[in-house]
């Protein structure tokens, strides 16, 4: 996988305080590894194991070293680095390349940026952004809602009432993350759901059409992204016998190799499905805190049977 430097800059230049120093060229160059690199050894002439697929970051150490070199040596070392087809160069602390070095980068078609951030802060922030860019992802069909801090993905057959259930959760203080197309990424050890930019903040309700959630429920009713904590599947009431009634055998749904808790809720006319999903979210919140109501009931039942063998 690779990410064009132009797309990375357009998406993250504000968060990373990046400014373009060169002409807008070389933006088709690609980043192939999800971490920036400090090319100190390369500037010293050692190119074995040089991480040429990464963004090259010049901090105080690299810039001070270049200044101590003779103009001829500086141009030769910097030119050898640029010949490695690196994706881009970023100078930290708002630094600037000298005109001769900037001309070399321009001649090789390498974009040059600077950032106001100190070197380590930029390295850490850029690494997080790159991990997100390179994170494995998938798209699920459903409706993602943040219900009191629990990220709930509502799934089910077409017409099962996913959007109507989501509206019911919004009326109870929830927030919409995505409707219909839910993008899920696995980064930083957790699954995160978001919506395509075009449909963010909108939900489709059969018989009404497309609804702007923020206009109806306020800005607090939408979330740009949320951790995926629970999947709720809406199933026909006819399949009621297949549903676990006690909850002693928790189910999971695999997303990008990660097991996500799964709850199946039967749908029937007159049943408040949104309330059931809200309860499932609260139950999941308790489970994350180490409290399991089903296990508690099972322990009470076993204790009662042990104390009353005749019953």
């Amino acid at each position: 996988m690779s990410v064009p430097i132009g797309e990375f800059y357009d998406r993250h230049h504000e968060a990373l305080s990046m400014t373009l120093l060169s002409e807008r060229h070389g933006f088709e160059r690609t980043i192939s590894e999800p971490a920036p690199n400090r090319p100190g050894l390369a500037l010293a002439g050692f190119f074995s194991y040089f991480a040429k697929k990464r963004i090259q970051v010049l901090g105080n150490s690299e810039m001070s070293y270049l200044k101590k070199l003779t103009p001829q040596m500086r141009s030769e070392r910097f030119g050898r680095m640029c010949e490695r087809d690196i994706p881009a160069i970023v100078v930290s602390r708002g630094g600037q390349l000298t005109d001769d070095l900037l001309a070399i980068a321009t001649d090789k078609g390498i974009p040059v940026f600077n950032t106001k951030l100190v070197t380590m802060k930029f390295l850490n922030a850029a690494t997080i952004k790159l991990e997100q860019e390179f994170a494995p992802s998938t798209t699920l069909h459903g409706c993602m809602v943040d219900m009191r801090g629990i990220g709930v993905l509502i799934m089910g057959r077409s017409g099962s009432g996913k959007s109507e259930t989501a509206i019911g959760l919004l009326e109870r203080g929830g927030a919409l993350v995505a409707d219909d197309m839910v993008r899920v990424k696995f980064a930083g050890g957790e699954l995160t759901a978001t919506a395509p930019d075009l449909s963010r903040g909108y939900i489709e309700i059969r018989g009404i059409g497309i609804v702007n959630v923020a206009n109806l429920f306020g800005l607090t009713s939408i979330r740009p992204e949320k951790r995926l904590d629970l999947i709720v599947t809406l199933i026909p009431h006819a399949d009621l016998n297949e549903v676990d009634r006690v909850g002693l055998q928790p189910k999971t749904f695999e997303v990008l190799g990660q097991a996500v808790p799964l709850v199946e809720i039967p749908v029937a006319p007159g049943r408040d499905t949104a309330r059931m999903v809200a309860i499932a979210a609260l139950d999941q919140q308790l489970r994350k805190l180490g409290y399991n109501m089903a296990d508690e009931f099972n322990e009470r039942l076993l204790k009662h049977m042990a104390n009353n063998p005749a019953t």
Side-chain angles (χ1 to χ4, degrees):
M1 180 179 177
S2 61
V3 178
I5 186 65
E7 293 183 11
F8 180 79
Y9 174 72
D10 291 339
R11 282 196 287 264
H12 305 298
H13 70 276
E14 291 184 1
L16 298 176
S17 299
M18 292 174 63
T19 303
L20 180 64
L21 297 180
S22 62
E23 298 177 2
R24 192 179 175 94
H25 56 65
F27 272 36
E28 74 283 353
R29 290 174 174 263
T30 57
I31 309 166
S32 301
E33 294 182 358
N37 179 62
R38 298 189 69 173
L41 287 175
L43 295 175
F46 184 77
F47 284 92
S48 298
Y49 311 107
F50 176 54
K52 65 179 182 179
K53 299 179 180 180
R54 304 181 183 184
I55 295 174
Q56 305 300 314
V57 181
L58 304 181
N60 272 350
S61 299
E62 291 80 8
M63 295 300 291
S64 297
Y65 177 75
L66 287 172
K67 289 178 181 178
K68 291 182 178 180
L69 299 177
T70 63
Q72 182 179 356
M73 181 71 73
R74 180 170 60 243
S75 297
E76 187 268 334
R77 296 280 178 81
F78 189 80
R80 288 181 63 190
M81 182 185 72
C82 292
E83 289 173 353
R84 262 61 182 183
D85 200 29
I86 57 179
I89 297 171
V90 177
V91 185
S92 65
R93 295 177 178 268
Q96 302 282 335
L97 288 181
T98 57
D99 292 340
D100 57 331
L101 298 185
L102 187 60
I104 293 172
T106 300
D107 181 63
K108 299 297 182 181
I110 299 172
V112 179
F113 310 89
N114 73 0
T115 175
K116 297 179 182 178
L117 302 178
V118 298
T119 310
M120 288 309 300
K121 284 189 175 181
F122 176 79
L123 290 172
N124 293 335
T127 299
I128 292 174
K129 297 298 184 185
L130 286 167
E131 286 182 349
Q132 292 174 349
E133 293 282 353
F134 281 80
S137 63
T138 186
T139 300
L140 300 176
H141 179 68
C143 195
M144 181 74 184
V145 177
D146 177 1
M147 185 60 189
R148 298 189 180 183
I150 298 296
V152 183
L153 174 60
I154 306 169
M155 301 178 68
R157 301 175 185 174
S158 180
S160 60
K162 298 184 292 295
S163 297
E164 291 83 353
T165 301
I167 289 293
L169 294 175
L170 298 184
E171 293 175 337
R172 291 173 168 84
L176 179 70
V177 179
D179 179 50
D180 192 33
M181 303 299 289
V182 182
R183 292 178 177 172
V184 181
K185 282 188 175 183
F186 180 66
E190 64 182 25
L191 296 167
T192 303
T194 186
D197 293 338
L198 182 63
S199 61
R200 182 172 294 123
Y202 292 88
I203 189 170
E204 179 187 357
I205 304 177
R206 290 174 182 268
I208 297 178
I210 303 296
V211 172
N212 187 319
V213 171
N215 286 349
L216 290 181
F217 300 97
L219 289 176
T220 59
S221 63
I222 57 175
R223 295 280 187 279
E225 62 179 23
K226 185 70 181 75
R227 181 185 64 246
L228 177 57
D229 299 304
L230 176 68
I231 294 178
V232 173
T233 302
L234 305 182
I235 64 175
H237 191 264
D239 298 335
L240 182 62
N241 292 332
E242 301 179 10
V243 177
D244 180 18
R245 299 182 61 182
V246 182
L248 292 176
Q249 299 178 343
K251 295 183 179 181
T252 59
F253 188 94
E254 187 172 302
V255 180
L256 296 174
Q258 305 301 306
V260 182
L262 171 68
V263 174
E264 296 176 329
I265 295 181
V267 178
R271 194 166 197 232
D272 192 344
T273 310
R275 177 177 294 179
M276 297 299 102
V277 175
I279 292 174
L282 293 175
D283 178 54
Q284 180 61 26
Q285 195 170 44
L286 289 174
R287 288 173 184 259
K288 292 174 70 70
L289 295 173
Y291 178 68
N292 189 313
M293 292 184 289
D295 287 345
E296 180 190 49
F297 176 78
N298 189 47
E299 290 177 4
R300 291 181 63 182
L301 179 60
L302 293 174
K303 184 177 181 180
H304 176 78
M305 293 173 62
N307 295 333
N308 303 275
T311 61

